[in-house]
Amino acid sequence: MAKALLGYVGGSDPRLLAEMRRLQQRVQDLESELTRIQNENDSLTAAAQHRGDSSLLDEDFEIDVPQAEPALT
């Protein structure tokens, strides 16, 4: 019954396995990018604190954007 629930028909579908590998690689790439961006943000925050640019680190700091930009896909 478990085989029927998983769609077992005599073997793994190579397209499904390829898609799973592609998605796993994409997740790994995004996790790496997130780590890189977090490290860059930490460096910029430390540099701003060192320079004394506390105005950039204030919670009330706002950027006036007249129109939101669409997300890149």
Side-chain angles (χ1 to χ4, degrees):
M1 179 157 174
K3 290 179 181 179
L5 291 174
L6 295 174
Y8 187 84
V9 186
S12 299
D13 183 2
R15 294 172 297 175
L16 183 61
L17 292 174
E19 180 70 5
M20 185 176 68
R21 280 192 296 271
R22 185 187 72 79
L23 290 172
Q24 287 172 335
Q25 182 62 48
R26 180 69 175 140
V27 167
Q28 186 178 16
D29 293 345
L30 289 171
E31 287 172 341
S32 297
E33 185 176 356
L34 176 63
T35 301
R36 181 189 62 78
I37 290 171
Q38 286 173 332
N39 290 336
E40 184 178 349
N41 187 51
D42 292 344
S43 297
L44 291 171
T45 301
Q49 287 175 343
H50 182 71
R51 277 187 56 202
D53 292 344
S54 61
S55 63
L56 295 176
L57 302 174
D58 290 341
E59 297 278 335
D60 297 330
F61 182 73
E62 293 184 23
I63 298 175
D64 183 26
V65 180
Q67 180 179 357
E69 296 181 15
L72 299 176
T73 57

